[in-house]
Amino acid sequence: MSGSSGSPMALRWALETARRLELRLVAVRAYKVPATSAGTVRPTPSRVAGSGDVLEASTLADLEAHVRAALGDDAEEVELRAVRGGRRRVLTAASDGAAMLVVDAPRRRELEGEPSFVRSLVYRAQCPVVIMPPRVSSTPAEPWVQGRRTARG
């Protein structure tokens, strides 16, 4: 699940599908322990003993809040997992043995780099990948999605 949007429509669709297919739904959010710079004097989370545990707990709490906001009482049906690592690696690993992955459509910045997150996920996943387009996920489409040009300043 996206840390920014919370992926509410993707989550709702995934829950409905899991119910229909009698599958367990697992909401996964990746997190990374920030790297330290050599000149850092103050302790940062990555330099403090047990900081991975703190970040995992924080990520899990944030994930739970997003799931509850999207599903209300139905959130109890969802297993929550906060997994350390980059989202591509975490979701690729989660795809092994999964019936499907459900993700939000990529943002513009994710399409500009090669390979994009979704493209590489589709080719690396061990199961089908369902991508919620912006119009379905109720996230505002950027002008490039709707085919409009933006004025450059």
Side-chain angles (χ1 to χ4, degrees):
M1 288 185 55
S2 168
S4 55
S5 73
S7 310
M9 287 305 294
L11 184 60
R12 288 185 200 116
W13 186 88
L15 179 61
E16 290 172 17
T17 303
R19 285 173 173 167
R20 241 186 352 267
L21 299 175
E22 298 180 359
L23 298 171
R24 177 179 53 141
L25 178 60
V26 180
V28 177
R29 181 161 301 157
Y31 71 93
K32 290 184 179 182
V33 175
T36 60
S37 61
T40 302
V41 175
R42 292 182 17 202
T44 60
S46 61
R47 298 177 76 185
V48 177
S51 65
D53 296 339
V54 171
L55 286 171
E56 180 181 12
S58 173
T59 302
L60 201 53
D62 188 47
L63 175 60
E64 181 177 11
H66 275 124
V67 171
R68 287 207 176 281
L71 300 178
D73 292 338
D74 292 336
E76 299 300 322
E77 296 179 47
V78 182
E79 179 182 332
L80 306 175
R81 289 188 194 160
V83 181
R84 184 177 178 171
R87 64 185 178 158
R88 183 178 298 123
R89 184 190 62 76
V90 166
L91 290 177
T92 300
S95 74
D96 189 22
M100 75 180 76
L101 291 177
V102 182
V103 297
D104 275 338
R107 293 185 189 88
R108 180 179 186 159
R109 65 181 159 79
E110 293 170 346
L111 292 175
E112 292 171 353
E114 280 297 322
S116 75
F117 164 69
V118 170
R119 179 179 168 205
S120 65
L121 182 61
V122 166
Y123 283 97
R124 294 178 184 183
Q126 301 298 309
C127 66
V129 178
V130 177
I131 304 165
M132 286 289 137
R135 292 178 196 259
V136 174
S137 67
S138 300
T139 55
E142 295 184 45
W144 67 272
V145 172
Q146 297 175 355
R148 294 180 293 183
R149 293 182 182 255
T150 57
R152 295 189 182 232

